[in-house]
């Protein structure tokens, strides 16, 4: 017995003698007998402490608790038992409400349960195992199943009396093991007022609730902090109404991107209204295929069509819809393709809507490729690496195995990945082959060449070699849409957002030819409005694609591309002089009237484009007249989607026109809808109406 234990026994004995409980004669006699037994065991323990011990392992049965058990076992008569009950009650009270001199210093709280004691050596174990061991009991005589939470017992007990367990470390405040009697074995029993440590398999996970230890309150559950929303979107303020007399010319680049529609859909399906910066109306309109008249077999690679109709949201205005339809060559007439998958495998791409969906999406591409096409895979995280060397598209097993090996982790060395992907594409180059890099990412570039301006400059130089870049976005919460848009525009490619496998099929199967094969570079649109017929005009969307008037004729200024089979749609809202729909008061000092040239025309449409790889642009011109109606049903559906986008951004120019009118217009002009894209738009409008009404 240690000196500290001996001192504790002395103090306890003094306390018991100083304040014996009042009792009847029988109880007093029992108390006297109990005290004699107590003194006997105390003297035996002190004598044992005086003998040098060979090790720190105490013999089984030694210690204060064993002495008390032995004392109680010797008292069998009812009066004696009544007396021992009083002693036990007093003893428990002393343990529960300890005076300061007995408690000692306050123990430090240790929330980590101690490891269970090591089993005794095999030589000391009892080889006889009981067939049906009795259930373990706690200090109150209840089985483990009866004990409340926080008073668990342990099942590992020595098998015989001479197999002594190791002595616990003498640290205050720790959880103690106690012993209970079991057939042919000694099971440990918990001391009153203490909680048993659960076995390792039952340990509570980090952040879960724990039982109170030494009277301390249980720690509060700590929920993981939500990931911060770091998304960024490329957008600008809505185009204002312009006065034709002072600013008659409107110039912009075409846009075949569709990312905004998919982002808006993803946000609405999460039960939230999209933020205005997520909405780019031209991308919402251009998400849908339109039946604009196709170009002739010879001549320009696309055809321009114009429709003029009343504006659905204001009787005093009209909508002028410009539709460009690209030529779709036969599959056998396509050039051979060198396709480099550039895959973001950084830690931010972890998850089913990121890398897992990305893998599924890229698998859809392979059946669309021809035997002459080749595929390579470059992955980047903390650093970039070539996962798959250039491989024939027919070797799908090798390509798919390389995709399956991709795992997310590390930082985002996007610049390094781009450099390696372009190097691989240039190594694959050959006569009559088209090089394309398909970047799949959440747009979070934070290592290496990560400056947006530097990336754009670098990609702009690489597109001069004929290797174009398209971007597929994945995931929400840290989607860097602005970076994706900048890279795709600089790389003469398209940007799309993939939120479902169905969207992956639309982009990479149904529209793969348009995404990878360009038929017209640097396509620019310019409209000059006739002040005699149009007093005001407003371009709906294309805010991020605006060009200066002089950029239209400058072939060094980059613009958007049109892919094989792509359709591009743009909508102007115009107001005639004297119309009740005018937004601005007339000028007092109006400029002189224009000459009679173009009398009766609303405006004049000019388009410039380059053949892929060419340096000089070509020009197309079309007069806009009030009676144009190339595809009125298609124009009405485009107007419904444009109205939808404006409702999402504040409906500044729509008057009383609202959700019901947008839904009715989309349903009435739905037309042919083989893939269900248009009815999906109607359902999203209905969902937005419900969310907007909350």
């Amino acid at each position: 017995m240690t000196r500290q234990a001996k001192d504790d026994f002395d103090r306890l004995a003094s306390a018991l003698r100083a304040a014996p409980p009042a009792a009847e004669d029988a109880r007093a006699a029992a108390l006297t007998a109990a005290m004699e037994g107590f003194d006997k065991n105390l003297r035996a323990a002190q004598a044992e402490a005086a003998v040098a011990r060979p090790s720190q392992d105490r013999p089984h049965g030694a210690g204060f608790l064993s002495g008390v058990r032995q004392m109680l076992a010797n008292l069998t008569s009812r009066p004696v038992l009544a007396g021992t009950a009083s002693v036990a009650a007093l003893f428990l009270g002393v343990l529960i409400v300890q005076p300061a001199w007995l408690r000692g210093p306050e123990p430090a709280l240790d929330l980590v349960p101690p490891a269970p004691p090591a089993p005794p050596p095999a030589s000391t174990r009892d080889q006889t195992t009981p067939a049906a061991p009795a259930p373990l009991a706690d200090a109150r005589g209840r089985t483990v199943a009866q004990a409340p939470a926080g008073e668990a017992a342990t099942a590992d007990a020595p098998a015989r009396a001479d197999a002594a367990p190791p002595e616990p470390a003498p640290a205050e405040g720790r959880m103690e093991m106690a012993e209970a009697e079991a057939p042919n074995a000694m099971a440990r029993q918990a001391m009153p007022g203490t909680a048993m440590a659960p076995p390792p398999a039952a340990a509570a996970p980090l952040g879960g609730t724990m039982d109170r230890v030494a009277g301390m309150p249980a720690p509060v559950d700590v929920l993981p902090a939500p990931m911060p929303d770091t998304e960024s979107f490329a957008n600008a303020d809505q185009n204002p109404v312009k006065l034709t007399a002072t600013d008659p010319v409107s110039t912009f680049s075409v846009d075949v991107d569709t990312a905004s529609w998919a982002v808006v859909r993803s946000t609405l399906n999460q039960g939230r209204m999209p933020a205005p910066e997520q909405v780019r109306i031209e991308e919402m309109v251009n998400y849908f295929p339109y039946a604009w008249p196709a170009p002739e077999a010879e001549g320009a690679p696309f055809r321009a069509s114009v429709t003029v109709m009343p504006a659905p949201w204001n009787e005093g205005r009209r909508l002028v819809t410009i539709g460009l339809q690209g030529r779709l060559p036969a599959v056998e007439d396509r050039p051979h393709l060198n396709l480099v998958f550039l895959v973001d495998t950084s830690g931010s791409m972890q998850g089913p809507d990121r890398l897992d969906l990305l893998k599924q999406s890229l698998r859809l591409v392979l059946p669309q490729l021809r035997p002459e096409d080749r595929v390579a895979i470059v992955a980047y995280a903390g650093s970039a690496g070539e996962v798959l060397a250039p491989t024939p598209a027919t070797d799908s097993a090798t390509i798919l195995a390389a995709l399956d090996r991709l795992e997310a982790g590390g930082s985002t060395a996007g610049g390094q990945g781009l450099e390696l992907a372009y190097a691989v594409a240039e190594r694959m180059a050959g006569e009559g082959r088209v090089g394309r890099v398909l970047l799949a990412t959440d747009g979070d570039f934070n290592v290496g060449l990560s400056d947006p301006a530097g990336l754009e400059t670098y990609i702009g130089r690489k597109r001069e070699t004929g290797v174009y870049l398209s971007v597929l976005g994945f995931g929400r919460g840290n989607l860097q849409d602005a970076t994706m848009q900048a890279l795709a525009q600089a790389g003469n490619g398209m940007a799309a957002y993939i939120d479902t496998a169905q969207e992956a099929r639309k982009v990479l199967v149904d529209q793969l030819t348009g995404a990878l094969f360009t038929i017209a570079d640097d396509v620019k649109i310019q409209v000059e409005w006739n002040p005699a017929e149009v007093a005001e005009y407003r371009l709906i969307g294309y805010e991020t694609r605006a060009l200066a008037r002089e950029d239209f004729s400058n072939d060094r200024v980059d613009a958007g591309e049109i892919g094989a089979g792509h359709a591009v749609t743009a909508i102007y809202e115009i107001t005639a002089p004297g119309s009740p729909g005018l937004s601005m008061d007339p000028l007092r000092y109006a400029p002189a009237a224009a000459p009679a040239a173009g009398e009766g025309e609303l405006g004049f449409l000019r388009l410039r484009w380059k053949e892929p790889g060419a340096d000089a642009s070509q020009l197309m011109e079309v007069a806009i007249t009030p009676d144009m109606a190339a595809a009125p049903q298609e124009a009405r559906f485009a107007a419904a989607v444009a109205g939808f986008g404006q409702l999402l951004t504040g409906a500044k120019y729509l008057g009383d026109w609202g959700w019901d009118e947008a839904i009715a217009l989309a349903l009435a002009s739905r037309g042919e809808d083989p893939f269900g894209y248009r009815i999906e738009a109607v359902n999203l409008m209905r969902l937005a109406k419900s969310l907007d009404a909350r």
Side-chain angles (χ1 to χ4, degrees):
M1 176 180 295
T2 64
R3 180 174 298 276
Q4 179 66 38
K6 180 179 179 301
D7 293 342
D8 289 344
F9 287 136
D10 291 342
R11 294 189 189 98
L12 180 58
S14 299
L16 291 173
R17 292 190 182 96
E24 299 175 356
D25 294 342
R27 182 168 300 180
L31 179 59
T32 300
M35 292 306 303
E36 291 176 355
F38 179 85
D39 290 340
K40 179 181 178 180
N41 282 280
L42 179 59
R43 287 192 297 272
Q46 291 172 341
E48 178 189 357
V51 180
R53 298 182 60 184
S55 71
Q56 294 186 7
D57 293 339
R58 59 181 179 176
H60 184 70
F64 176 74
L65 291 177
S66 298
V68 173
R69 274 202 306 273
Q70 183 177 354
M71 175 188 71
L72 296 178
N74 294 328
L75 304 176
T76 56
S77 66
R78 184 180 301 273
V80 171
L81 290 177
T84 55
S86 300
V87 176
L90 177 61
F91 175 66
L92 289 176
V94 172
L95 286 182
I96 295 173
V97 185
Q98 298 179 14
W101 57 265
L102 187 57
R103 272 201 316 267
E106 197 69 28
L109 183 63
D110 184 7
L111 295 181
V112 180
S123 61
T124 64
R125 295 179 188 169
D126 189 354
Q127 304 301 320
T128 303
T129 303
L136 301 180
D138 65 6
R140 303 181 187 179
R142 298 168 301 187
T143 63
V144 173
Q146 296 169 332
E151 296 183 5
T154 180
D156 55 339
R160 47 186 286 168
D162 60 352
E167 181 177 349
E172 294 183 338
R174 59 175 170 74
M175 302 178 185
E176 290 241 305
M177 299 287 205
E179 301 169 347
E181 297 292 337
N184 302 322
M186 294 294 293
R188 288 187 288 270
Q189 185 178 18
M191 287 182 61
T194 62
M196 298 298 296
L206 185 63
T209 58
M210 299 180 65
D211 293 327
R212 298 187 211 189
V213 179
M216 298 295 290
V220 179
D221 288 353
V222 179
L223 297 177
M227 290 293 292
D229 190 330
T230 59
E231 294 184 334
S232 67
F233 296 89
N235 216 323
D237 294 338
Q238 291 186 55
N239 288 323
V241 175
K242 293 189 176 182
L243 191 63
T244 308
T246 59
D247 194 0
V249 179
S250 172
T251 309
F252 63 96
S253 164
V254 298
D255 185 3
V256 296
D257 296 344
T258 60
S260 181
W261 174 269
V263 169
V264 167
R265 176 182 61 202
S266 171
T267 304
L268 289 171
N269 284 332
Q270 292 173 7
R272 299 181 290 118
M273 290 291 285
E277 60 268 19
Q278 297 178 5
V279 180
R280 290 188 292 272
I281 295 177
E282 74 277 7
E283 294 187 17
M284 296 180 67
V285 172
N286 287 329
Y287 179 84
F288 302 92
Y290 295 92
W292 304 124
E296 302 292 336
E298 301 295 333
F302 57 85
R303 178 175 176 177
S305 303
V306 179
T307 300
V308 181
M309 67 179 192
W313 44 78
N314 194 316
E315 295 182 359
R317 302 171 189 169
R318 286 175 287 182
L319 296 184
V320 176
T321 304
I322 301 170
L324 307 181
Q325 180 61 55
R327 181 185 297 116
L328 181 63
V331 173
E332 57 271 16
D333 294 334
R334 292 183 342 197
H336 299 163
L337 177 66
N338 294 330
L339 180 59
V340 180
F341 291 153
L342 176 55
V343 181
D344 181 353
T345 56
S346 62
S348 63
M349 289 293 290
Q350 184 74 38
D353 63 336
R354 291 170 169 80
L355 187 58
D356 293 347
L357 180 58
L358 185 157
K359 291 180 183 180
Q360 298 174 24
S361 302
L362 297 186
R363 294 172 75 97
L364 297 175
V365 177
L366 299 182
Q368 313 307 313
L369 303 180
R370 296 184 302 165
E372 299 83 3
D373 299 333
R374 291 184 293 177
V375 175
I377 302 176
V378 172
Y380 67 89
S383 59
E386 185 174 347
V387 177
L388 177 70
T391 302
T394 53
D395 192 358
S396 59
T398 300
I399 299 171
L400 293 176
L403 279 175
D404 289 340
R405 289 195 300 269
L406 298 177
E407 297 293 340
S411 55
T412 315
Q416 188 178 358
L418 279 170
E419 292 175 356
L420 180 57
Y422 277 117
V424 172
E426 291 170 3
R427 193 171 76 233
M428 297 167 68
E431 187 67 27
R433 304 188 70 87
V434 171
R436 294 291 182 267
V437 174
L438 189 59
L439 169 61
T441 178
D442 58 7
D444 188 8
F445 285 40
N446 54 36
V447 174
L449 186 62
S450 57
D451 174 64
L455 283 170
E456 291 180 54
T457 301
Y458 175 78
I459 295 171
R461 291 199 308 267
K462 290 300 181 181
R463 75 166 179 254
E464 302 300 328
T465 67
V467 179
Y468 290 179
L469 171 72
S470 290
V471 184
L472 304 178
F474 292 84
R476 295 300 303 272
N478 66 330
L479 180 68
Q480 301 303 305
D481 171 83
T483 301
M484 293 166 44
Q485 292 290 320
L487 299 185
Q489 291 181 29
N492 277 9
M494 61 162 287
Y497 173 71
I498 308 295
D499 58 335
T500 64
Q502 183 64 32
E503 182 65 14
R505 176 177 176 81
K506 176 182 182 293
V507 174
L508 298 176
V509 176
D510 301 339
Q511 299 174 351
L512 179 67
T513 301
L516 299 180
F517 298 95
T518 302
I519 59 174
D521 282 345
D522 294 341
V523 182
K524 305 170 186 175
I525 297 178
Q526 186 175 81
V527 178
E528 179 185 354
W529 297 104
N530 181 1
E533 300 291 336
V534 178
E536 298 171 351
Y537 68 91
R538 176 173 67 96
L539 175 61
I540 302 176
Y542 290 94
E543 286 85 0
T544 63
R545 299 288 183 147
L547 296 174
R549 180 175 177 177
E550 62 270 20
D551 291 341
F552 181 75
S553 300
N554 187 348
D555 287 343
R556 297 181 62 85
V557 175
D558 183 51
E561 282 61 46
I562 294 181
H566 266 161
V568 178
T569 303
I571 303 174
Y572 281 94
E573 184 179 31
I574 63 172
T575 311
S579 168
L582 287 171
S583 301
M584 294 180 282
D585 294 333
L587 294 174
R588 177 179 178 85
Y589 305 103
E599 185 177 357
E601 295 176 356
L602 298 175
F604 200 67
L605 170 65
R606 299 182 178 91
L607 299 107
R608 282 194 177 274
W609 83 96
K610 299 175 185 175
E611 295 287 346
D615 295 327
S617 66
Q618 302 182 49
L619 178 65
M620 178 188 298
E621 297 178 329
V622 178
I624 302 174
T625 59
D627 57 350
M628 284 184 158
Q633 181 172 268
E634 302 296 282
R636 284 195 296 271
F637 184 81
V641 177
F644 179 27
Q646 293 177 87
L647 288 170
L648 292 174
T649 55
K652 179 179 179 181
Y653 300 104
L654 300 185
D656 296 331
W657 197 81
W659 294 112
D660 291 335
E661 290 78 10
I663 294 168
L665 179 59
L667 281 173
S669 56
R670 178 183 170 193
E672 294 293 327
D673 189 21
F675 300 107
Y677 302 145
R678 297 191 176 189
I679 194 60
E680 178 189 57
V682 174
N683 290 330
L684 286 178
M685 292 177 191
R686 290 170 172 157
L687 177 57
K689 175 188 175 183
S690 299
L691 295 174
D692 194 35
R694 292 191 305 184

